[in-house]
Amino acid sequence: MHSPAFLPDLLDYSQSCMPEYTKQLLEMVSIPSVSAGTEHHADLKKMAEYARDLLAKYGFTAKVVPTKGSPAIVGLMEVDPKAPWITVYNHMDVQPAKEPQWKTSPFEPLLKEGIVIGRGSTDDKGPALSIVHAIHYLKSRNIPMPNVQVIYETEEEIGSPNFGAFLDDNKGWLKDPESILISDTIFEGEHPAITYKLKGMQRVELELVSGSKDLHSGIFGGAVENPLSILISVLAKMVNEKGDILIPEIAAANSSLNPEEEKALSEVASIFDLDKFTKDSGEAKRYAEDIREILMRIWHKPTLEIHGFSGAQHEIGVLKSAISPSVRAKVSLRLIPGLEPKAIVSAIQSFVKSIHPGIEVHDLGGQKASFTPLSDPFLKEASVACTVGFGRPPLFTGCGGTIGAIPQFQRVWPQRAVVLIAQSLMSDGYHAPNEQFELIQGQRGIVALATYLNRVSGMFRA
Ligand SMILES: [Zn+2]
């Protein structure tokens, strides 16, 4: 293994900084920086100021940068004008925490047996703090490292609506990085994980208006169009009972994996805990039983889900025999690299119009998928760093979800590797009640991330 010479000292630091780290994490989690809704506007501002002060304390030139929504925070640390820049991204906002299953107060964090329990502890404040300590460690010992630009967002949990504009508006002074480092993902079982592919997303509503009022089905039925029946039949032509997408342009998307990706998938499949997946999914019936196929569907193939209708009757046991004049269906798609959100909307539009010209497709917004090839040198360094920090080599994983900032980074700074190093555990409860973060993961994370940043600076020394 390629342990750095400073590893013993780094291990010491990762241990000795824990009282300070814990105190800081408890302070951060006690700020209810919920981005959904408007209730926590002042808390988001307070969180931004806390994050700025934290970065400043460790030698960053840091400021709060306003956006049309809640602010971003930028901290710059230039160690050498000739050194490359790396951008570190985390988010300081959190999910709401109103679930009745909380056993403690979500914003009065509890420290219990090395675990911090509270909203935002693992998503994403703990992982963010580890990177700050990793950077502080390298800087304080004069160990080679890249220049670092930390960008914190406070709207990640609501889909990063203003992040693209933030990058555009501040591009003049932001540093153009060689690569982007993110710690906002999850271990695969007991294994460290590096996520190299994240799906994009597109939301649409299909609307069909056939009349102006409810009609009696005995007087008009059979003679007039029933928009709900038509829309259901169109939707059934978009996705079948096996979960397969039938729209030709989307079904034809290339989801094949190269040999390196095949190998990575087989490694994950070999340790995948199907029983846990079954339990976590509430025993949901599945489209596939083969683990490899399950992972292919979640990570590597596009999906289309129908979520709901308006203009339909909902009350169970009551049937009003009226034909509704108009109906809307909510549909979302998870996209793989190569599927452009705008092109997906056009494909759906022409598909539905070829069946019924009256159906309108409303674009509710989309984001592109993101992908860093497994052969990328930054991923190779991240793999070594995870092995050093977490004691075993990482698995390379996909993700069915989306981190809204990543496609924006890739739009503004194309071709930069995005490196996602996980510190959180599956059991931490992302977005769930009783969210927690194991401090030992933060401690190991500091070792992994400091090793990574040191190795990155080595990539640029001839
Ligand atoms: Zn997150």
Short mmCIF file of all heavy atoms in Angstrom, two decimals, residues 196-251:
data_model
loop_
_atom_site.label_atom_id
_atom_site.label_comp_id
_atom_site.label_asym_id
_atom_site.label_seq_id
_atom_site.Cartn_x
_atom_site.Cartn_y
_atom_site.Cartn_z
N TYR A 196 -18.97 7.13 -9.11
CA TYR A 196 -18.42 7.71 -10.33
C TYR A 196 -19.50 8.08 -11.35
O TYR A 196 -19.21 8.69 -12.36
CB TYR A 196 -17.40 6.75 -10.98
CG TYR A 196 -18.01 5.53 -11.63
CD1 TYR A 196 -18.24 5.49 -13.00
CD2 TYR A 196 -18.37 4.43 -10.87
CE1 TYR A 196 -18.81 4.38 -13.60
CE2 TYR A 196 -18.95 3.32 -11.46
CZ TYR A 196 -19.16 3.29 -12.82
OH TYR A 196 -19.73 2.20 -13.41
N LYS A 197 -20.74 7.71 -11.07
CA LYS A 197 -21.81 7.98 -12.03
C LYS A 197 -23.07 8.32 -11.24
O LYS A 197 -23.47 7.55 -10.36
CB LYS A 197 -22.03 6.75 -12.88
CG LYS A 197 -22.82 6.98 -14.15
CD LYS A 197 -23.21 5.65 -14.79
CE LYS A 197 -22.34 5.30 -15.97
NZ LYS A 197 -22.77 4.02 -16.60
N LEU A 198 -23.67 9.45 -11.55
CA LEU A 198 -24.94 9.82 -10.92
C LEU A 198 -25.97 10.08 -12.01
O LEU A 198 -25.67 10.73 -13.01
CB LEU A 198 -24.81 11.08 -10.06
CG LEU A 198 -24.03 10.97 -8.76
CD1 LEU A 198 -22.61 11.49 -8.98
CD2 LEU A 198 -24.69 11.79 -7.66
N LYS A 199 -27.18 9.61 -11.77
CA LYS A 199 -28.22 9.83 -12.77
C LYS A 199 -28.68 11.28 -12.79
O LYS A 199 -28.59 11.99 -11.79
CB LYS A 199 -29.42 8.93 -12.47
CG LYS A 199 -29.27 7.52 -13.03
CD LYS A 199 -30.53 6.72 -12.80
CE LYS A 199 -30.45 5.35 -13.47
NZ LYS A 199 -31.59 4.50 -13.05
N GLY A 200 -29.18 11.69 -13.94
CA GLY A 200 -29.87 12.96 -14.05
C GLY A 200 -31.36 12.74 -13.85
O GLY A 200 -31.79 11.62 -13.53
N MET A 201 -32.13 13.79 -14.03
CA MET A 201 -33.56 13.67 -13.79
C MET A 201 -34.34 14.62 -14.69
O MET A 201 -33.83 15.66 -15.07
CB MET A 201 -33.84 14.02 -12.33
CG MET A 201 -35.24 13.64 -11.92
SD MET A 201 -35.53 14.01 -10.20
CE MET A 201 -37.03 13.08 -9.95
N GLN A 202 -35.54 14.22 -15.04
CA GLN A 202 -36.45 15.13 -15.74
C GLN A 202 -37.86 14.90 -15.18
O GLN A 202 -38.29 13.77 -15.02
CB GLN A 202 -36.44 14.86 -17.25
CG GLN A 202 -37.41 15.73 -18.04
CD GLN A 202 -37.07 17.22 -17.98
OE1 GLN A 202 -35.93 17.61 -18.20
NE2 GLN A 202 -38.05 18.06 -17.66
N ARG A 203 -38.51 16.02 -14.85
CA ARG A 203 -39.90 15.93 -14.38
C ARG A 203 -40.83 16.52 -15.43
O ARG A 203 -40.53 17.58 -15.98
CB ARG A 203 -40.08 16.75 -13.09
CG ARG A 203 -39.26 16.29 -11.92
CD ARG A 203 -39.46 17.27 -10.75
NE ARG A 203 -38.76 16.86 -9.56
CZ ARG A 203 -37.48 17.15 -9.32
NH1 ARG A 203 -36.78 17.87 -10.18
NH2 ARG A 203 -36.90 16.74 -8.21
N VAL A 204 -41.94 15.83 -15.69
CA VAL A 204 -42.94 16.38 -16.62
C VAL A 204 -44.34 16.13 -16.08
O VAL A 204 -44.56 15.24 -15.25
CB VAL A 204 -42.85 15.75 -18.05
CG1 VAL A 204 -41.60 16.18 -18.78
CG2 VAL A 204 -42.97 14.24 -18.01
N GLU A 205 -45.27 16.95 -16.57
CA GLU A 205 -46.69 16.67 -16.37
C GLU A 205 -47.33 16.55 -17.75
O GLU A 205 -47.09 17.39 -18.62
CB GLU A 205 -47.36 17.79 -15.57
CG GLU A 205 -47.36 17.51 -14.08
CD GLU A 205 -48.15 18.53 -13.27
OE1 GLU A 205 -48.67 19.52 -13.83
OE2 GLU A 205 -48.24 18.33 -12.06
N LEU A 206 -48.11 15.50 -17.92
CA LEU A 206 -48.87 15.35 -19.16
C LEU A 206 -50.28 15.84 -18.89
O LEU A 206 -50.87 15.49 -17.86
CB LEU A 206 -48.92 13.87 -19.60
CG LEU A 206 -47.61 13.11 -19.70
CD1 LEU A 206 -47.84 11.76 -20.37
CD2 LEU A 206 -46.58 13.89 -20.48
N GLU A 207 -50.81 16.63 -19.81
CA GLU A 207 -52.15 17.19 -19.59
C GLU A 207 -53.03 16.95 -20.81
O GLU A 207 -52.59 17.14 -21.95
CB GLU A 207 -52.04 18.70 -19.34
CG GLU A 207 -53.40 19.33 -19.06
CD GLU A 207 -53.31 20.83 -18.80
OE1 GLU A 207 -52.40 21.48 -19.35
OE2 GLU A 207 -54.17 21.34 -18.04
N LEU A 208 -54.24 16.51 -20.54
CA LEU A 208 -55.21 16.37 -21.64
C LEU A 208 -56.52 17.04 -21.22
O LEU A 208 -57.10 16.69 -20.19
CB LEU A 208 -55.45 14.89 -21.97
CG LEU A 208 -56.46 14.60 -23.09
CD1 LEU A 208 -56.06 15.29 -24.40
CD2 LEU A 208 -56.60 13.09 -23.32
N VAL A 209 -56.93 18.01 -22.00
CA VAL A 209 -58.20 18.69 -21.77
C VAL A 209 -59.12 18.31 -22.92
O VAL A 209 -58.80 18.54 -24.08
CB VAL A 209 -58.02 20.23 -21.73
CG1 VAL A 209 -59.36 20.92 -21.46
CG2 VAL A 209 -56.99 20.62 -20.69
N SER A 210 -60.28 17.69 -22.60
CA SER A 210 -61.19 17.26 -23.67
C SER A 210 -62.53 17.98 -23.61
O SER A 210 -63.35 17.82 -24.52
CB SER A 210 -61.43 15.75 -23.59
OG SER A 210 -60.26 15.06 -23.92
N GLY A 211 -62.79 18.70 -22.55
CA GLY A 211 -64.08 19.38 -22.43
C GLY A 211 -64.00 20.47 -21.39
O GLY A 211 -62.91 20.89 -20.99
N SER A 212 -65.17 20.94 -20.95
CA SER A 212 -65.16 22.07 -20.02
C SER A 212 -65.87 21.74 -18.71
O SER A 212 -65.85 22.53 -17.78
CB SER A 212 -65.82 23.29 -20.68
OG SER A 212 -67.13 22.93 -21.09
N LYS A 213 -66.54 20.58 -18.62
CA LYS A 213 -67.24 20.27 -17.38
C LYS A 213 -67.38 18.76 -17.21
O LYS A 213 -67.26 18.00 -18.19
CB LYS A 213 -68.62 20.94 -17.34
CG LYS A 213 -69.51 20.55 -18.50
CD LYS A 213 -70.86 21.24 -18.38
CE LYS A 213 -71.77 20.83 -19.52
NZ LYS A 213 -73.09 21.43 -19.45
N ASP A 214 -67.65 18.34 -15.97
CA ASP A 214 -67.93 16.93 -15.70
C ASP A 214 -69.17 16.51 -16.50
O ASP A 214 -70.14 17.25 -16.56
CB ASP A 214 -68.24 16.73 -14.20
CG ASP A 214 -66.96 16.55 -13.38
OD1 ASP A 214 -65.86 16.79 -13.93
OD2 ASP A 214 -67.07 16.17 -12.20
N LEU A 215 -69.12 15.29 -17.08
CA LEU A 215 -70.27 14.82 -17.87
C LEU A 215 -70.77 13.49 -17.32
O LEU A 215 -69.99 12.64 -16.88
CB LEU A 215 -69.85 14.64 -19.34
CG LEU A 215 -69.48 15.92 -20.10
CD1 LEU A 215 -68.99 15.58 -21.51
CD2 LEU A 215 -70.66 16.90 -20.17
N HIS A 216 -72.09 13.31 -17.36
CA HIS A 216 -72.75 12.09 -16.92
C HIS A 216 -72.34 10.95 -17.86
O HIS A 216 -72.51 11.06 -19.08
CB HIS A 216 -74.27 12.31 -16.97
CG HIS A 216 -75.08 11.24 -16.31
ND1 HIS A 216 -75.18 9.97 -16.83
CD2 HIS A 216 -75.84 11.26 -15.19
CE1 HIS A 216 -75.96 9.25 -16.04
NE2 HIS A 216 -76.38 10.02 -15.03
N SER A 217 -71.83 9.83 -17.28
CA SER A 217 -71.30 8.78 -18.15
C SER A 217 -72.42 8.00 -18.86
O SER A 217 -72.17 7.32 -19.85
CB SER A 217 -70.42 7.82 -17.36
OG SER A 217 -71.21 7.14 -16.40
N GLY A 218 -73.67 8.11 -18.35
CA GLY A 218 -74.78 7.44 -19.02
C GLY A 218 -75.36 8.26 -20.15
O GLY A 218 -75.98 7.73 -21.07
N ILE A 219 -75.16 9.56 -20.11
CA ILE A 219 -75.72 10.43 -21.15
C ILE A 219 -74.70 10.69 -22.27
O ILE A 219 -75.03 10.70 -23.44
CB ILE A 219 -76.22 11.77 -20.53
CG1 ILE A 219 -77.32 11.47 -19.50
CG2 ILE A 219 -76.70 12.75 -21.59
CD1 ILE A 219 -77.79 12.68 -18.71
N PHE A 220 -73.42 10.87 -21.85
CA PHE A 220 -72.38 11.21 -22.84
C PHE A 220 -71.34 10.11 -23.06
O PHE A 220 -70.62 10.13 -24.04
CB PHE A 220 -71.67 12.50 -22.41
CG PHE A 220 -72.57 13.69 -22.37
CD1 PHE A 220 -73.12 14.15 -21.16
CD2 PHE A 220 -72.90 14.37 -23.55
CE1 PHE A 220 -73.96 15.26 -21.13
CE2 PHE A 220 -73.73 15.48 -23.51
CZ PHE A 220 -74.27 15.92 -22.31
N GLY A 221 -71.26 9.16 -22.09
CA GLY A 221 -70.20 8.15 -22.15
C GLY A 221 -70.24 7.33 -23.43
O GLY A 221 -71.31 6.94 -23.89
N GLY A 222 -69.11 7.07 -24.01
CA GLY A 222 -69.03 6.33 -25.26
C GLY A 222 -69.02 7.24 -26.47
O GLY A 222 -68.49 6.89 -27.52
N ALA A 223 -69.59 8.45 -26.27
CA ALA A 223 -69.61 9.41 -27.39
C ALA A 223 -68.50 10.44 -27.24
O ALA A 223 -67.91 10.87 -28.23
CB ALA A 223 -70.97 10.11 -27.44
N VAL A 224 -68.20 10.81 -25.98
CA VAL A 224 -67.17 11.84 -25.78
C VAL A 224 -65.89 11.20 -25.24
O VAL A 224 -65.91 10.13 -24.63
CB VAL A 224 -67.64 12.95 -24.81
CG1 VAL A 224 -68.90 13.63 -25.34
CG2 VAL A 224 -67.86 12.40 -23.40
N GLU A 225 -64.79 11.87 -25.48
CA GLU A 225 -63.50 11.38 -24.99
C GLU A 225 -63.46 11.37 -23.47
O GLU A 225 -63.96 12.29 -22.82
CB GLU A 225 -62.37 12.31 -25.48
CG GLU A 225 -62.00 12.10 -26.93
CD GLU A 225 -60.70 12.86 -27.27
OE1 GLU A 225 -60.19 13.61 -26.42
OE2 GLU A 225 -60.22 12.68 -28.40
N ASN A 226 -62.84 10.34 -22.90
CA ASN A 226 -62.57 10.34 -21.46
C ASN A 226 -61.07 10.58 -21.30
O ASN A 226 -60.25 9.69 -21.54
CB ASN A 226 -62.96 9.00 -20.84
CG ASN A 226 -62.68 8.96 -19.34
OD1 ASN A 226 -61.73 9.58 -18.86
ND2 ASN A 226 -63.50 8.24 -18.60
N PRO A 227 -60.67 11.80 -20.90
CA PRO A 227 -59.25 12.13 -20.86
C PRO A 227 -58.44 11.22 -19.93
O PRO A 227 -57.30 10.89 -20.24
CB PRO A 227 -59.20 13.58 -20.37
CG PRO A 227 -60.59 14.03 -20.21
CD PRO A 227 -61.54 12.92 -20.51
N LEU A 228 -59.07 10.79 -18.83
CA LEU A 228 -58.32 9.93 -17.91
C LEU A 228 -58.02 8.58 -18.56
O LEU A 228 -56.89 8.09 -18.49
CB LEU A 228 -59.11 9.75 -16.60
CG LEU A 228 -58.43 8.95 -15.49
CD1 LEU A 228 -57.08 9.54 -15.12
CD2 LEU A 228 -59.32 8.89 -14.24
N SER A 229 -59.03 7.99 -19.23
CA SER A 229 -58.80 6.70 -19.92
C SER A 229 -57.73 6.85 -20.99
O SER A 229 -56.85 5.99 -21.13
CB SER A 229 -60.09 6.20 -20.59
OG SER A 229 -61.13 6.17 -19.67
N ILE A 230 -57.79 7.95 -21.73
CA ILE A 230 -56.81 8.14 -22.81
C ILE A 230 -55.41 8.29 -22.23
O ILE A 230 -54.45 7.66 -22.69
CB ILE A 230 -57.19 9.38 -23.67
CG1 ILE A 230 -58.50 9.13 -24.41
CG2 ILE A 230 -56.07 9.72 -24.66
CD1 ILE A 230 -59.08 10.36 -25.06
N LEU A 231 -55.30 9.10 -21.18
CA LEU A 231 -53.97 9.34 -20.60
C LEU A 231 -53.39 8.04 -20.03
O LEU A 231 -52.20 7.75 -20.21
CB LEU A 231 -54.07 10.42 -19.52
CG LEU A 231 -52.79 11.21 -19.28
CD1 LEU A 231 -52.26 11.85 -20.55
CD2 LEU A 231 -53.00 12.28 -18.23
N ILE A 232 -54.23 7.25 -19.39
CA ILE A 232 -53.75 5.96 -18.85
C ILE A 232 -53.25 5.07 -19.98
O ILE A 232 -52.19 4.44 -19.88
CB ILE A 232 -54.86 5.27 -18.03
CG1 ILE A 232 -55.06 6.01 -16.70
CG2 ILE A 232 -54.50 3.80 -17.76
CD1 ILE A 232 -56.28 5.58 -15.91
N SER A 233 -54.00 5.05 -21.08
CA SER A 233 -53.57 4.17 -22.17
C SER A 233 -52.27 4.69 -22.81
O SER A 233 -51.40 3.90 -23.19
CB SER A 233 -54.72 3.95 -23.17
OG SER A 233 -54.47 4.59 -24.37
N VAL A 234 -52.10 6.01 -22.84
CA VAL A 234 -50.84 6.56 -23.38
C VAL A 234 -49.68 6.25 -22.43
O VAL A 234 -48.60 5.83 -22.86
CB VAL A 234 -50.98 8.08 -23.61
CG1 VAL A 234 -49.64 8.71 -23.92
CG2 VAL A 234 -51.97 8.34 -24.74
N LEU A 235 -49.92 6.41 -21.14
CA LEU A 235 -48.86 6.13 -20.16
C LEU A 235 -48.44 4.66 -20.22
O LEU A 235 -47.26 4.34 -20.09
CB LEU A 235 -49.34 6.48 -18.74
CG LEU A 235 -49.49 7.98 -18.45
CD1 LEU A 235 -50.30 8.20 -17.18
CD2 LEU A 235 -48.13 8.65 -18.33
N ALA A 236 -49.42 3.78 -20.46
CA ALA A 236 -49.11 2.34 -20.54
C ALA A 236 -48.28 2.02 -21.78
O ALA A 236 -47.65 0.97 -21.83
CB ALA A 236 -50.41 1.54 -20.55
N LYS A 237 -48.29 2.93 -22.73
CA LYS A 237 -47.43 2.74 -23.91
C LYS A 237 -46.03 3.32 -23.67
O LYS A 237 -45.11 3.10 -24.46
CB LYS A 237 -48.06 3.38 -25.14
CG LYS A 237 -49.34 2.68 -25.61
CD LYS A 237 -49.87 3.31 -26.89
CE LYS A 237 -51.06 2.54 -27.43
NZ LYS A 237 -52.33 2.82 -26.70
N MET A 238 -45.87 4.10 -22.58
CA MET A 238 -44.56 4.69 -22.27
C MET A 238 -43.72 3.76 -21.40
O MET A 238 -42.50 3.77 -21.49
CB MET A 238 -44.76 6.04 -21.56
CG MET A 238 -45.34 7.10 -22.48
SD MET A 238 -45.92 8.59 -21.61
CE MET A 238 -44.43 9.16 -20.85
N VAL A 239 -44.38 3.01 -20.52
CA VAL A 239 -43.65 2.10 -19.62
C VAL A 239 -44.52 0.87 -19.40
O VAL A 239 -45.74 0.98 -19.25
CB VAL A 239 -43.30 2.82 -18.28
CG1 VAL A 239 -44.53 3.26 -17.52
CG2 VAL A 239 -42.40 1.97 -17.39
N ASN A 240 -43.90 -0.32 -19.46
CA ASN A 240 -44.72 -1.53 -19.34
C ASN A 240 -44.74 -2.10 -17.92
O ASN A 240 -44.16 -1.51 -16.99
CB ASN A 240 -44.29 -2.58 -20.38
CG ASN A 240 -42.93 -3.18 -20.07
OD1 ASN A 240 -42.40 -3.02 -18.97
ND2 ASN A 240 -42.37 -3.87 -21.04
N GLU A 241 -45.39 -3.24 -17.77
CA GLU A 241 -45.58 -3.83 -16.44
C GLU A 241 -44.29 -4.44 -15.89
O GLU A 241 -44.23 -4.86 -14.74
CB GLU A 241 -46.72 -4.87 -16.48
CG GLU A 241 -46.41 -6.17 -17.21
CD GLU A 241 -46.35 -6.03 -18.73
OE1 GLU A 241 -46.65 -4.95 -19.27
OE2 GLU A 241 -45.97 -7.03 -19.40
N LYS A 242 -43.23 -4.44 -16.71
CA LYS A 242 -41.93 -4.92 -16.22
C LYS A 242 -41.02 -3.76 -15.84
O LYS A 242 -39.84 -3.95 -15.53
CB LYS A 242 -41.25 -5.77 -17.30
CG LYS A 242 -42.02 -7.04 -17.63
CD LYS A 242 -41.22 -7.86 -18.66
CE LYS A 242 -42.02 -9.06 -19.10
NZ LYS A 242 -42.36 -9.02 -20.54
N GLY A 243 -41.56 -2.54 -15.93
CA GLY A 243 -40.76 -1.37 -15.60
C GLY A 243 -39.89 -0.92 -16.76
O GLY A 243 -39.04 -0.04 -16.59
N ASP A 244 -40.07 -1.51 -17.93
CA ASP A 244 -39.24 -1.13 -19.09
C ASP A 244 -39.84 0.07 -19.81
O ASP A 244 -41.05 0.12 -20.04
CB ASP A 244 -39.15 -2.30 -20.09
CG ASP A 244 -38.51 -3.53 -19.46
OD1 ASP A 244 -37.56 -3.35 -18.67
OD2 ASP A 244 -38.97 -4.66 -19.74
N ILE A 245 -38.96 1.00 -20.17
CA ILE A 245 -39.41 2.18 -20.91
C ILE A 245 -39.62 1.79 -22.38
O ILE A 245 -38.80 1.09 -22.97
CB ILE A 245 -38.37 3.32 -20.80
CG1 ILE A 245 -38.19 3.71 -19.33
CG2 ILE A 245 -38.79 4.53 -21.63
CD1 ILE A 245 -37.13 4.76 -19.09
N LEU A 246 -40.73 2.25 -22.97
CA LEU A 246 -41.08 1.87 -24.34
C LEU A 246 -40.92 3.01 -25.34
O LEU A 246 -41.12 2.82 -26.53
CB LEU A 246 -42.51 1.33 -24.38
CG LEU A 246 -42.81 0.18 -23.40
CD1 LEU A 246 -44.29 -0.16 -23.42
CD2 LEU A 246 -41.98 -1.04 -23.72
N ILE A 247 -40.59 4.21 -24.85
CA ILE A 247 -40.38 5.33 -25.79
C ILE A 247 -39.06 5.06 -26.52
O ILE A 247 -38.01 4.95 -25.86
CB ILE A 247 -40.31 6.67 -25.03
CG1 ILE A 247 -41.60 6.89 -24.23
CG2 ILE A 247 -40.05 7.83 -25.97
CD1 ILE A 247 -41.54 8.03 -23.24
N PRO A 248 -39.11 4.91 -27.86
CA PRO A 248 -37.93 4.39 -28.56
C PRO A 248 -36.62 5.13 -28.28
O PRO A 248 -35.61 4.50 -27.97
CB PRO A 248 -38.32 4.51 -30.05
CG PRO A 248 -39.81 4.56 -30.05
CD PRO A 248 -40.24 5.16 -28.76
N GLU A 249 -36.64 6.48 -28.32
CA GLU A 249 -35.38 7.23 -28.13
C GLU A 249 -34.77 6.97 -26.76
O GLU A 249 -33.56 6.99 -26.59
CB GLU A 249 -35.61 8.75 -28.26
CG GLU A 249 -35.94 9.21 -29.65
CD GLU A 249 -37.44 9.25 -29.87
OE1 GLU A 249 -38.18 8.39 -29.31
OE2 GLU A 249 -37.90 10.13 -30.62
N ILE A 250 -35.62 6.76 -25.75
CA ILE A 250 -35.09 6.56 -24.39
C ILE A 250 -34.71 5.09 -24.21
O ILE A 250 -33.66 4.78 -23.65
CB ILE A 250 -36.12 7.00 -23.33
CG1 ILE A 250 -36.58 8.44 -23.61
CG2 ILE A 250 -35.53 6.89 -21.92
CD1 ILE A 250 -37.69 8.94 -22.74
N ALA A 251 -35.56 4.19 -24.75
CA ALA A 251 -35.27 2.75 -24.63
C ALA A 251 -33.96 2.40 -25.33
O ALA A 251 -33.25 1.48 -24.93
CB ALA A 251 -36.41 1.94 -25.21
#
